[in-house]
């Protein structure tokens, strides 16, 4: 099975800050990676797929990069509505696996 | 508008069974793979099972293989998850999720249904 490791597990940031979240796969997955945002009590929401493709209606301040084993989600200027938990997911092979999550908190 | 709506959750004793349903609308159901993803209280996301659009291919997490069965009825636009031999560690919110055409990431999610396994 492919293990997905996210770091950090939590980050404190202020509105306007640039935030980066890392995700590492235990083996190469090319660009078969997705990112989700989840707010408390809500279902996850797809942000990025194929490592760097922005899902429709997702603001352009979100971006993804990486290939192989190392990936990054970047929020260029953090907005109040961005405080949430973010998950990566590999879509390369079964069983599909998620990272442990990164909680973005208000500083 | 795409909608997926889960039902069937509840309280069940260890060793018991439960069947979850997911009613889909707003898209051609048979054209899309579907999955179940769960989230234990206060924990992260765990993929549980997936099924192709035709129903001919099914996939499972190791943690549920042999106990859970995913199926679909394309005539009723409904996805199912039959859960047997339930354990306390199966306690979670179970989400139904629609996969992207041609990729196993999830564009649309239901609101989830809570399964509690406890005596």
């Amino acid at each position: 099975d492919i293990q997905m490791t996210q770091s950090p597990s939590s980050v404190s940031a202020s509105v306007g800050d640039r935030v980066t979240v890392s995700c590492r796969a235990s083996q190469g997955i090319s660009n078969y990676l997705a990112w989700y945002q989840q707010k408390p009590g809500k279902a996850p929401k797809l942000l990025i797929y194929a490592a760097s493709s922005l899902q429709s209606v997702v603001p352009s301040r979100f971006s993804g990069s990486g290939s192989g084993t190392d990936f990054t989600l970047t929020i260029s200027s953090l907005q109040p509505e961005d405080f949430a938990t973010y998950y990566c997911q590999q879509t390369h092979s079964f069983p599909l696996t998620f990272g442990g999550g990164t909680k973005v908190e208000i500083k | 508008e795409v909608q997926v709506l889960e039902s069937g959750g509840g309280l069940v004793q260890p060793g018991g069974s439960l069947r979850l349903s997911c009613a889909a609308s707003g898209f051609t159901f048979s054209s899309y793979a579907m999955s179940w993803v769960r989230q234990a209280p206060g924990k992260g996301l765990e993929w549980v099972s997936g099924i192709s659009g035709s129903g001919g291919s099914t996939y499972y997490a190791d943690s549920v293989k042999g106990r859970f069965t995913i199926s679909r009825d394309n005539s009723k636009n409904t996805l199912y998850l039959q859960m047997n031999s339930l354990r306390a560690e199966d306690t979670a919110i179970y989400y139904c999720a629609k996969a992207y055409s041609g990729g196993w990431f999830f564009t649309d999610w239901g609101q989830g249904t809570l399964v509690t396994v406890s005596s």
Side-chain angles (χ1 to χ4, degrees), chain A residues 1 36 38 43 49 89 91, chain B residues 39 59 62 104-106 109-110:
Chain A
D1 298 3
Y36 300 87
Q38 187 180 34
Y49 62 94
Q89 179 219 342
T91 67
Chain B
Q39 187 167 37
Y59 310 91
D62 291 344
W104 284 93
F105 53 90
F106 308 113
W109 299 64

Side-chain angles (χ1 to χ4, degrees), chain B residues 19-31:
Chain B
R19 188 176 85 155
L20 305 183
S21 299
C22 171
S25 61
F27 63 101
T28 304
F29 184 66
S30 61
S31 295

Side-chain angles (χ1 to χ4, degrees), chain A residues 1 34 36 38 42-44 46 49-50 55 87 89 91 94-96 98 100, chain B residues 37 39 43-47 59-62 95 100 104-107 109-110:
Chain A
D1 298 3
Y36 300 87
Q38 187 180 34
K42 300 295 186 181
L46 177 68
Y49 62 94
Q55 174 68 344
Y87 294 93
Q89 179 219 342
T91 67
F94 292 99
L96 306 177
F98 288 88
Chain B
V37 177
Q39 187 167 37
K43 302 298 184 182
L45 301 172
E46 180 187 16
W47 175 80
Y59 310 91
Y60 297 93
D62 291 344
Y95 293 103
Y100 181 80
W104 284 93
F105 53 90
F106 308 113
T107 56
W109 299 64

